[in-house]
Every structure is written in structure tokens, then in C-alpha cells.
Amino acid sequence: MLGHPPAYGPGAGAAPARRLTVLVVEDDPFVRTALIRHLTDTGHAVRSVGTALEALREVSQVGCDLVILDLGLPDLDGGEALKMIRGLTNVPVIISTARDDETGIVRLLNDGADDYLVKPFSVEHLDARIAALLRRLGAGASTASPVLRVGALAVDVQRREAALRDAPLDLTRREFDLLAFLARRPGVVITRKEILAEVWHHTYGSDQTIDVHLSWLRRKLGETASSPRYLHTVRGVGFRLEAPRP
Ligand code: CA
């Protein structure tokens, strides 16, 4: 059960119908670890934060497909956090609460929560809620299409395959993550900080690491920094992936 010190079972195994990027907002380390572990085991990409303010930053700057939001956070009341998230995005939000308080839950649903779980809850219950939510939203409502297309570049995030003009690209795990992250927002400048957080799961690190991986990726795309086609460096800021102009 999540919400109590967790009893870990073997990974649930079955791949999810769709790989989501889930933001776990939870200050309790036991629950947080268990959620991350379970969601990762079931094939989702997970980011986690322990405060409402960090959650707002993640939602506004990085984006995700689903938020699991604990109501009892150290900095802001979860209900307030929910309203602020709703002010930024329509991303699905599942509330996780220790309070089985009907009036409170009704208010949260009215304030824009998509569903709720009362702690302690089992991972099966969580999976069922996520599946039900996805069904309600419909396959077409996905914020993350399984195949991202930027010009002649296709990135299949579920199969983790990428191709340029139908020719498969032989990418390392990092290179793929990097390309997929950039391809999710074509034409938008992505900062080094965002790349570090998303691809390396660090909030700080060396710019050189990113530069090295980007130069390998660039080579595999058959281009150079001085005459870029898809991958553009925006000096002092970050990078942008976009289709070459005809
Ligand atoms: Ca809490």
C-alpha cells in the first residue's frame, strides 16, 4: 500500500498502453519512492518534486502528461496548488490525499482535479485510476503522440526508434532521449537547464556533457554546427529542433 511504508513486489511488468511522463508531487519519501518505482516499472517516465512551488515550475517549464498531487505539501495547501496548476495547464491531475473527506474531495474535483486516491492505496488501484482517466480523456487527447514528426525526422517514443527520411538512426539512449525531448517542442528554444533536468535528471551539471551528446546527435543527423539543418544552437540559451526550410 502506498501511504504506508511500502511493501515492494516485483515490478508489475506489463507495459502500459501508453508511456506517460508523470510528475509525482509528494513530500513523503516512502510514498514518493514507491510511486516512482512502480510507475517506472510499468514503463512510464517519472519526475518527482516535494513541494508545490517546484511542481508549478515543472508544469510550466517542462510539462508532463499526468500529475499525481499530494494534498499535504510543506509549502502550499494542495488545493491551492491545484488551482495554480489549473491556471497554467489542463494536464490531468490525480489528487492523492490522506483525508477521506467527502466535501473536500468534491471541492477539489470542482476545482479541476480529474480523479483522487485516498491513502493508503495500492498500486493496482493507482493503475486502474490512470487507465480509467486515459480512457475518459480518449486516445486523441494525448499530449504526447507516440510518433513525433519534425520534417523528415520521425521519433517513435514508445518503440524508442528514430528515423531520418525513413532511414533508421542508430542512437544511444541519451541521444534518443535528447532528440525525443527536443522533438516534443519543435521550433521552441529549449534551455540547457531543461535538458539537464529532463535527459540527465539533474538540476545542475556541465554544459560540456550536453554539448558532447548534441554534437554526436548532430553528426548522426548528418549535419554540422556551422551549417545546421534540424538542430540549431541558440548561443547562450539552448537548442532548437526544427524542420529545415525548403
Ligand atoms: Ca504529504
Side-chain angles (χ1 to χ4, degrees), residues 28-101:
D28 179 326
F30 283 114
V31 181
R32 184 162 159 175
T33 307
L35 278 174
I36 294 170
R37 187 178 175 125
H38 175 70
L39 291 165
T40 308
D41 279 351
T42 47
H44 298 298
V46 185
R47 276 199 301 275
S48 72
V49 293
T51 65
L53 290 179
E54 288 172 294
L56 290 169
R57 194 166 55 219
E58 278 282 320
V59 163
S60 63
Q61 295 182 359
V62 185
C64 58
D65 303 312
L66 172 68
V67 178
I68 299 177
L69 177 66
D70 172 32
L71 274 196
L73 293 169
D75 55 342
L76 268 183
D77 173 72
E80 288 305 309
L82 172 66
K83 284 191 213 160
M84 291 168 83
I85 290 173
R86 274 291 163 265
L88 293 168
T89 162
N90 284 324
V91 66
V93 176
I94 296 180
I95 296 288
S96 147
T97 175
R99 303 169 236 167
D100 191 2
D101 150 20

Side-chain angles (χ1 to χ4, degrees), residues 172 174-175 178 200 208-218:
T172 64
R174 285 275 198 240
E175 288 161 3
L178 196 50
W200 275 270
Q208 241 183 337
T209 311
I210 297 179
D211 288 336
V212 166
H213 284 83
L214 270 160
S215 77
W216 288 335
L217 179 57
R218 188 166 258 150

